[in-house]
Amino acid sequence: MNARKAFIRRRPFSSLGILLLLILAGLIWNWRVQLQVFPSIISAYTAKEYCSCRFVMNNPADYCRSYVKQWLPSTLDEDALNKRITATGLGRESEARWEGPRQGCRLSSPVP
């Protein structure tokens, strides 16, 4: 009997754990681009939706904060004078600003 079959017979849970780790590593490698972009989505969504809630729909700040609240933590900074929102989440920062009554809110270039 070769060594590999003996290892699997003696340690079935270890073998299953190693197999699951290999499958997980393959999935992470396959989705690496999507996983890199995900943190930016959190802050961009928060900034854009909060801006639209506040300046397009003219809702109060408390309502808009509860509207964009997510399971993942994020912070919001509102510049009401310039109608600009900066949101930070998962280490990324995004900014949205009100363009006008017909254009609504737009995400700005990523903040350095």
Side-chain angles (χ1 to χ4, degrees):
M1 184 181 299
N2 67 22
R4 188 175 16 177
K5 287 183 181 179
F7 179 79
I8 292 172
R9 264 197 196 162
R10 284 182 293 165
R11 293 188 165 76
F13 293 114
S14 297
S15 301
L16 183 61
I18 291 170
L19 180 64
L20 289 175
L21 283 175
L22 288 173
I23 291 171
L24 183 63
L27 289 173
I28 288 172
W29 178 256
N30 190 36
W31 295 334
R32 66 190 180 279
V33 174
Q34 292 87 348
L35 290 171
Q36 288 174 344
V37 174
F38 179 73
S40 299
I41 293 171
I42 298 298
S43 62
Y45 167 82
T46 304
K48 174 75 169 57
E49 289 300 313
Y50 185 86
C51 181
S52 296
C53 182
R54 280 289 285 145
F55 305 126
V56 175
M57 302 304 293
N58 295 316
N59 289 316
D62 291 338
Y63 172 79
C64 293
R65 282 189 188 273
S66 66
Y67 177 73
V68 299
K69 185 175 175 158
Q70 301 177 33
W71 290 102
L72 297 171
S74 60
T75 60
L76 282 168
D77 293 322
E78 178 180 340
D79 180 5
L81 183 62
N82 296 317
K83 295 188 176 183
R84 184 174 301 175
I85 304 298
T86 304
T88 306
L90 293 178
R92 305 285 171 92
E93 190 172 271
S94 297
E95 183 180 275
R97 61 189 158 100
W98 188 66
E99 297 286 319
R102 296 193 67 177
Q103 295 87 4
C105 288
R106 180 179 295 182
L107 282 172
S108 303
S109 299
V111 179

